[in-house]
Amino acid sequence: MTTIDSYNPADPDDLVISVPATDAAGVAEAIAGAREAQRGWWALGAAGRSLALTRAAAAIEGAADELAELVVREVGKPIAEARGEVARTVAIWRYYAQAPFAASGEVHEPAAGQGLLLTRRRPYGVAGLITPWNFPLAIPTWKAAPALAVGNAVVLKPSSEAVAVALRLAELAGLPEGVLTIVPGGAAAGTALIGGADVISFTGSTWVGRSVIAGATERGIPVQSEMGGLNAALVLPDADIAQAAAHLANAIAGYAGQKCTATSRVIAVGDAYEPLAEALAKALAQTPAADPSAPTTSCGPVINRESLERLTDAIDTAREGGATVLAGGAKADRAGWFLEPTLVEAVPAGHPLLEEEFFGPVAVLVPAADLDEAIAIANNTRHSLSTSVHSRSLDVALAAADRLDAGMIRINAPSSGVDFHLPFGGAKGASYGSREQGQAVLDFYTASRTVSVLPAGEY
């Protein structure tokens, strides 16, 4: 029997969980069970679904310490961030617990005569969710909670490297049998889920995301796909350099850069280059890769050996091409998959570090003569999710925000960070389909129906 084995990235000998992999038949069975359960879930009505989601939030909150420790152990997230993720997860469940009471349509005047014209939104049935390991509580929650709130049942395929967290989350949620089902598995399970669910939401790598989009669109079902970003930070000469460096160090090294909103390109405009290079290199040196269970750690391990090797190989080839490493650049001297936070300058044009998302604590420092050139560099990517702009001038910052392609633009703040009550998504190849989170996602998980009500007889 094939198993899903999840190991601790800070201690690769520590097997967190081993569970049977769900095959295509198992996924089909889960979808069938979810379809049956959805009818009862929808029949609960708004009050019943709201109460169930509220109770899920309370149960998760009650297990906060346990969940935070499991997140640290399974995906290597530093404990301070893990606790923050648990708190955000609870808040998301509570936020969407109110969604069942939201208006689900509108009333319109008929074109002529008496009667009513109504629009009503109704759940698709079974929502298939495919989620990554880097936010093992928050991302499954911000997909599942709104889908459940509007009346869908959910079948969730988590990353194989976060399966223990997903199983515990579903257990704590305590929803009726079949309403929230976890199917641990690999690519075959994901393909089966896309082939049987009624609506699909995916977060992960670009190449997998494109196959998800293709599979869903071939079936004609709604799909949203979040595929990361090659995010830039623009630092203007008038910026508070010390503050900007602190923000950038957080966005580069926080959780070892394993966030789709992490900064991977730092664009220093004009005279900002030299002081920023010095301040940022110093800030990264003061953020070492360390034990994720320690309360002061910001940068823990990367998720696995393959990720570490891909990152170190990229840094080495950049050096060979003439780049200079200003901070970090090597594996940390400790067991586990740790890379010291790294800043590189003079990376040759066309190098993968300038064109691909590496998902690690590595950033490239790039000069720009002026704001126009900085914006052109920032926009020169297929994966434009989040961009930060650092300047004391509100006029300059707002003008830059109007011209940047990114789905999220943060002024004098790290590029990393998400407000769960607002729409989330990128531009270009970073995202496909409707936005996640906020109220916008409620429409994604429902279909609109137009109902015409005419008098039964003449009046």
Side-chain angles (χ1 to χ4, degrees):
M1 175 184 292
T2 302
T3 61
I4 300 297
D5 299 326
S6 178
Y7 290 88
N8 180 348
D11 179 6
D13 293 328
D14 176 22
L15 176 63
V16 179
I17 194 171
S18 180
V19 295
T22 311
D23 59 13
V27 173
E29 182 179 348
I31 292 171
R35 203 172 303 286
E36 177 67 26
Q38 189 269 334
R39 288 191 282 270
W41 177 245
W42 175 246
L44 283 178
R49 295 194 303 278
S50 176
L51 179 60
L53 268 61
T54 300
R55 287 174 171 167
I60 293 164
E61 186 174 42
D65 289 343
E66 171 204 340
L67 283 172
E69 290 170 5
L70 182 57
V71 168
V72 173
R73 183 182 175 206
E74 186 167 36
V75 302
K77 180 166 289 192
I79 185 62
E81 282 210 38
R83 288 174 179 147
E85 182 174 350
V86 174
R88 185 197 308 186
T89 298
V90 172
I92 294 169
W93 281 100
R94 286 189 172 136
Y95 176 76
Y96 285 112
Q98 303 307 307
F101 295 108
S104 62
E106 298 176 334
V107 178
H108 298 263
E109 289 293 325
Q114 295 182 324
L116 292 173
L117 292 179
L118 311 175
T119 60
R120 307 179 76 186
R121 303 200 71 87
R122 290 294 182 264
Y124 284 105
V126 177
L129 313 180
I130 302 173
T131 57
W133 49 263
N134 61 327
F135 285 88
L137 291 169
I139 293 181
T141 292
W142 80 48
K143 292 179 186 292
L148 293 163
V150 296
N152 296 283
V154 164
V155 178
L156 167 65
K157 193 203 85 65
S159 165
S160 297
E161 288 157 318
V163 70
V165 175
L167 289 167
R168 186 61 178 136
L169 175 66
E171 183 179 29
L172 287 166
L175 299 174
E177 184 177 357
V179 171
L180 174 57
T181 304
I182 309 299
V183 286
T191 299
L193 186 56
I194 297 163
D198 302 309
V199 55
I200 294 290
S201 182
F202 167 85
T203 298
S205 68
T206 298
W207 69 273
V208 175
R210 288 172 178 164
S211 68
V212 171
I213 295 164
T217 53
E218 183 177 359
R219 289 188 58 221
I221 62 172
V223 58
Q224 62 180 192
S225 185
E226 292 298 332
M227 297 171 284
L230 187 67
N231 307 305
L234 281 63
V235 182
L236 281 294
D238 70 332
D240 181 328
I241 296 298
Q243 181 190 68
H247 286 164
L248 292 172
N250 174 273
I252 294 166
Y255 189 25
Q258 296 172 126
K259 304 175 184 179
C260 57
T261 54
T263 296
S264 52
R265 296 178 299 153
V266 178
I267 304 169
V269 180
D271 293 340
Y273 190 94
E274 292 299 334
L276 179 64
E278 181 179 354
L280 183 53
K282 181 178 179 180
L284 290 173
Q286 294 172 344
T287 313
D291 178 1
S293 65
T296 57
T297 295
S298 295
C299 181
V302 296
I303 191 64
N304 53 35
R305 179 194 298 273
E306 292 76 18
S307 179
L308 179 62
E309 290 177 349
R310 182 169 181 255
L311 287 159
T312 54
D313 286 349
I315 295 166
D316 289 344
T317 59
R319 275 197 187 102
E320 292 164 4
T324 300
V325 175
L326 301 178
K331 182 183 182 302
D333 185 19
R334 58 186 310 125
W337 315 127
F338 292 86
L339 176 68
E340 295 295 356
T342 299
L343 182 65
V344 188
E345 68 175 353
V347 173
H351 190 276
L353 283 175
L354 292 169
E355 298 184 352
E356 300 175 15
E357 182 185 41
F358 274 81
F359 230 54
V362 179
V364 177
L365 183 62
V366 181
D370 52 31
L371 181 60
D372 288 341
E373 185 180 5
I375 291 172
I377 294 169
N379 287 343
N380 185 26
T381 176
R382 298 165 295 169
H383 313 290
S384 198
L385 177 59
S386 180
T387 298
S388 64
V389 180
H390 303 263
S391 171
R392 286 189 173 94
S393 170
L394 181 60
D395 289 348
V396 170
L398 291 177
D402 282 342
R403 297 169 58 194
L404 289 164
D405 290 341
M408 297 185 295
I409 299 164
R410 295 168 62 84
I411 308 300
N412 293 323
S415 64
S416 56
V418 174
D419 298 300
F420 65 80
H421 56 294
L422 295 177
F424 172 83
K428 301 178 181 178
S431 298
Y432 179 91
S434 302
R435 291 303 197 218
E436 291 199 282
Q437 304 193 72
Q439 296 295 301
V441 75
L442 300 178
D443 283 353
F444 171 72
Y445 287 115
T446 54
S448 178
R449 298 175 181 175
T450 299
V451 181
S452 300
V453 183
L454 301 179
E458 294 185 5
Y459 292 87

